Amino acid sequence: RKEVEQDPGPFNVPEGATVAFNCTYSNSASQSFFWYRQDCRKEPKLLMSVYSSGNEDGRFTAQLNRASQYISLLIRDSKLSDSATYLCVVNIPGSARQLTFGSGTQLTVLP
Amino acid sequence: DAGVIQSPRHEVTEMGQEVTLRCKPISGHDYLFWYRQTMMRGLELLIYFNNNVPIDDSGMPEDRFSAKMPNASFSTLKIQPSEPRDSAVYFCASSLGGTFQPQHFGDGTRLSIL
């Protein structure tokens, strides 16, 4: 099983739609979780951290489900500018390799 | 505030040549990471440093790759000799505090080996 797994998509949604992505992780002791977005031919950029109680930043909501070992990202009222690849990032305790990046979920918001 | 600065932005060279990529982390950050990204393999961690000391280089593909961090504000990734399969985007990232803190990426170096 991969340490961090994401549905690669692509997710194609109309403008204004709500879309959600999940990301599963294998190590139950993981404690740090982040969502990054990466635009085509650009660097990954931090979108938001994921806190135990869940957190919201404008149209974006991140949730953590420790029992099922996944994190989620919900985007409400999606905009054309939300089109990007979304990477989940998880720390792997006991590994020297610090944070592990998922392979990303591609989102295209259609007009 | 200045982010992570990488140079060059683009590099095109012939196979067999030496390639040197450069990175200046965010001032005050104590962790520096080198990644490689391709369509086939995604984002791969090559090596990372903590306080200028290499901690994990298990992601370095082979002996042709080497990385140094002579001081807190500068790091290099060198490929010698370069091969076409090394063509990729190479990112440098830095963070303050390691595992529990997010990493901030530079713009990347787009490397093409002919």
Side-chain angles (χ1 to χ4, degrees), chain B residues 4 25-32 51-52 69 72 93-97 102-104:
Chain B
V4 176
I26 293 172
S27 177
H29 280 192
D30 55 350
Y31 283 80
L32 183 140
N51 292 324
N52 313 338
M69 192 165 186
S94 69
S95 73
L96 179 63
Q103 297 171 18
H104 301 271

Side-chain angles (χ1 to χ4, degrees), chain A:
Chain A
R1 182 182 174 186
K2 282 186 181 178
E3 291 175 321
V4 179
E5 284 198 80
Q6 294 184 252
D7 181 344
F11 284 64
N12 298 319
V13 302
E15 209 172 355
T18 295
V19 62
F21 313 130
N22 285 343
C23 167
T24 59
Y25 59 95
S26 61
N27 192 317
S28 61
S30 293
Q31 294 179 291
S32 296
F33 308 91
F34 307 96
W35 283 103
Y36 280 68
R37 72 170 276 166
Q38 185 172 24
D39 294 290
C40 187
R41 302 176 74 82
K42 298 282 191 178
E43 77 277 18
K45 289 186 178 177
L46 178 67
L47 180 65
M48 58 196 302
S49 302
V50 184
Y51 302 121
S52 297
S53 55
N55 48 298
E56 193 173 300
D57 182 1
R59 298 182 293 108
F60 298 84
T61 301
Q63 298 265 345
L64 167 63
N65 185 316
R66 285 198 183 276
S68 300
Q69 293 181 209
Y70 72 88
I71 62 172
S72 63
L73 178 68
L74 181 79
I75 306 174
R76 290 182 300 277
D77 187 24
S78 52
K79 312 290 185 192
L80 297 177
S81 58
D82 294 334
S83 298
T85 297
Y86 290 83
L87 304 164
C88 72
V89 185
V90 181
N91 83 303
I92 307 298
S95 166
R97 299 180 68 70
Q98 298 283 313
L99 298 176
T100 297
F101 283 72
S103 54
T105 297
Q106 186 180 341
L107 171 67
T108 301
V109 180
L110 305 168

Side-chain angles (χ1 to χ4, degrees), chain B residues 74-88:
Chain B
F74 183 67
S75 177
T76 60
L77 177 68
K78 191 170 291 188
I79 308 172
Q80 167 63 18
S82 57
E83 296 182 3
R85 60 193 167 122
D86 301 330
S87 298

